Amino acid sequence: MKKISILLMTFLIAISLLGCSKEETRFIEIESYDVDMSGYEDMPSTNHHFKGITPTEFMRVYEEDGSGVFYIGYTGCSSCQATVSLIEEAAIETDTTVYYLDPYSEEYDFFSYMSDIMAILDPILRHEDDGTATIYTPHIFAMINGEFGQSLIGGGDTVDELVSLMEEVR
């Protein structure tokens, strides 16, 4: 009887430990392109951790429960100018690719996808008093298996915040 109790106890402990394990992060193949970041202060045009993606590709990653770190911003945004070098510093530290959506890119018409993108991003957007959601830039966020992780509107204040966000995707 004692052996059965020990076996049962061991089995229950093993089951409980398995139930507490973290789900494996699912990475899918993301179609991206090299993006010239020289429009941002202190950024080289190449040899950085940013990859451009289209809105269609972003939506596919979400729909297929993919994972990654995403940045929405543009060179004409002064807050984006101040943040991109911090994002790059965190990406260097964590060896993370940052997928870049530029609302004013010549590669695609971002605004033709706006309602679909807004529907996907709604949980992590700022909402006005009337409930209207707005995309503010810079916005960097983690997606883990199609679910949103950390989200920093304004890009975060420190490299440590950005590193934490990027490590969440690992």
Side-chain angles (χ1 to χ4, degrees), residues 23-152:
E23 181 183 354
E24 187 174 321
T25 303
R26 182 167 181 238
F27 293 99
I28 64 171
E29 188 71 31
I30 299 175
E31 290 183 32
S32 63
Y33 56 91
D34 292 333
V35 63
D36 181 354
M37 297 298 284
S38 63
Y40 288 98
E41 296 172 17
D42 302 323
M43 284 294 295
S45 59
T46 59
N47 197 24
H48 50 71
H49 287 77
F50 289 86
K51 287 290 191 180
I53 62 167
T54 65
T56 304
E57 191 63 7
F58 168 72
M59 291 184 293
R60 186 181 72 80
V61 173
Y62 174 76
E63 290 164 359
E64 293 181 16
D65 297 332
S67 302
V69 173
F70 299 88
Y71 162 69
I72 300 174
Y74 60 101
T75 58
C77 163
S78 60
S79 296
C80 298
Q81 285 287 343
T83 301
V84 165
S85 62
L86 297 175
I87 296 170
E88 176 63 12
E89 190 176 331
I92 290 168
E93 188 172 324
T94 59
D95 192 27
T96 300
T97 298
V98 178
Y99 296 101
Y100 177 38
L101 279 164
D102 179 350
Y104 301 102
S105 174
E106 294 178 7
E107 300 285 328
Y108 48 81
D109 178 10
F110 182 86
F111 297 98
S112 67
Y113 297 93
M114 186 61 92
S115 62
D116 292 332
I117 290 172
M118 294 290 285
I120 291 169
L121 294 178
D122 187 71
I124 60 170
L125 295 177
R126 285 193 185 148
H127 292 80
E128 307 303 327
D129 291 338
D130 67 359
T132 306
T134 305
I135 294 177
Y136 288 94
T137 58
H139 193 164
I140 184 165
F141 55 92
M143 186 184 301
I144 303 101
N145 302 337
E147 300 288 330
F148 293 108
Q150 291 184 55
S151 170
L152 300 172

